[in-house]
């Protein structure tokens, strides 16, 4: 009985976090209102997918959302949220759907988006894997050096993956593949913004595949 009493006062062991996933959403000038909602609704729907819910809960994952645009225009719209249950994921999905657009009529600075994201991992250093999931529909027209940001991600042990939203051709895909993602990263191509919901679901499933076994 004494042992049980002593144990009741000891802190419970922390649940292991498998993946910290930061989802960065492009809200630059090339993204109109309808396209913005395709992105946030696509993200919210992906978080309701049963396979993704299962993987997030099993991995005791952490999720954050960043919106980005031009130089010095990045904002955390959903701070790091720990996922312990399906109810946690449902609440996260609803927050993703309701988030307001942070910037309008601005440029495209993916390097600054990456650097901002890299500076926001302090709350989830206990997670085994740290991933930045950057989406965009264009190449830079302002901001810093993308190669410098990618090199820092690799030094910090953070994976960078991407969704390239193409209006035509593969220019954006090639830019993300050659300039943005880390050596252990990958790119998923979305054919226009209407294909984003499929792409974000496929990408998150791939990112969580290690958790799902």
């Amino acid at each position: 009985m004494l042992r049980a009493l002593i144990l009741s006062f000891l802190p419970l062991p922390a649940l292991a976090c498998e993946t910290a996933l930061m989802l960065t959403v492009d809200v630059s000038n090339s993204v109109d209102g309808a396209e913005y909602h395709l992105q946030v609704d696509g993200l919210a729907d992906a978080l309701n997918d049963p396979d993704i819910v299962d993987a997030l809960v099993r991995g005791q994952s952490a999720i954050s959302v960043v919106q980005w645009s031009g130089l010095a225009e990045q904002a955390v719209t959903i701070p790091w949220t720990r996922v312990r249950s399906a109810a946690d994921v449902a609440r996260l999905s609803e927050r993703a759907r309701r988030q307001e657009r942070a910037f309008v009529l601005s440029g495209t600075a993916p390097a600054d988006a990456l650097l901002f994201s890299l500076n926001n991992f302090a709350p989830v250093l206990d997670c085994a894997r740290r991933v930045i999931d950057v989406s965009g529909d264009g190449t830079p027209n302002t901001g810093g050096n993308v190669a410098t940001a990618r090199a820092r991600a690799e030094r910090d042990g953070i994976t960078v993956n991407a969704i390239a939203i193409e209006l035509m051709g593969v220019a954006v895909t090639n830019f993300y593949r050659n300039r943005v993602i880390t050596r252990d990263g990958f790119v998923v191509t979305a054919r226009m913004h209407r294909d984003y919901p499929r792409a974000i679901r496929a990408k998150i499933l791939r990112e969580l595949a290690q958790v799902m076994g």
Side-chain angles (χ1 to χ4, degrees):
M1 182 174 178
L2 178 60
R3 181 174 182 273
L5 182 62
I6 292 172
L7 289 174
S8 70
F9 286 99
L10 293 176
L12 292 174
L15 294 172
C17 169
E18 172 61 33
T19 304
L21 179 60
M22 178 174 285
L23 302 158
T24 71
V25 180
D26 179 4
V27 293
S28 60
N29 191 43
S30 58
V31 178
D32 65 24
E35 291 164 348
Y36 169 75
H37 285 292
L38 280 170
Q39 290 184 100
V40 295
D41 287 342
L43 172 57
D45 290 343
L47 291 172
N48 278 326
D49 181 273
D51 291 335
I52 290 177
V53 172
D54 180 59
L56 288 171
V57 173
R58 281 202 281 159
Q60 300 294 287
S61 307
I63 301 287
S64 179
V65 178
V66 167
Q67 293 185 24
W68 66 275
S69 186
L71 185 64
E73 291 180 311
Q74 307 89 29
V76 176
T77 53
I78 299 178
W80 286 111
T81 302
R82 302 281 180 155
V83 173
R84 302 295 187 224
S85 67
D88 291 338
V89 187
R91 285 190 291 268
L92 184 62
S93 171
E94 187 58 28
R95 290 180 71 184
R97 198 180 304 279
R98 293 199 317 264
Q99 64 183 310
E100 296 184 2
R101 183 170 184 158
F103 308 103
V104 293
L105 301 177
S106 188
T108 303
D112 299 77
L114 279 179
L115 291 171
F116 177 86
S117 299
L118 289 167
N119 288 333
N120 278 278
F121 274 89
V124 289
L125 294 180
D126 60 302
C127 295
R129 300 166 60 229
R130 290 169 289 154
V131 181
I132 296 173
D133 193 346
V134 59
S135 67
D137 67 354
T139 55
N141 55 30
T142 188
N145 188 305
V146 179
T148 300
R150 177 173 65 179
R152 180 180 158 192
E154 292 186 334
R155 286 196 305 271
D156 291 351
I158 295 175
T159 299
V160 179
N161 298 324
I163 291 181
I165 303 171
E166 299 280 11
L167 301 183
M168 61 177 64
V170 292
V172 182
T173 300
N174 287 338
F175 165 71
Y176 276 109
R177 180 176 292 120
N178 297 327
R179 303 279 302 280
V180 177
I181 65 169
T182 50
R183 282 169 289 186
D184 59 347
F186 63 88
V187 181
V188 173
T189 299
R191 291 296 169 186
M192 306 186 70
H193 287 84
R194 64 173 175 265
D195 190 36
Y196 182 89
R198 176 205 61 82
I200 188 66
R201 178 185 179 276
K203 184 157 64 61
I204 293 176
L205 281 172
R206 183 171 171 180
E207 286 160 339
L208 299 175
Q210 180 176 334
V211 179
M212 298 171 69

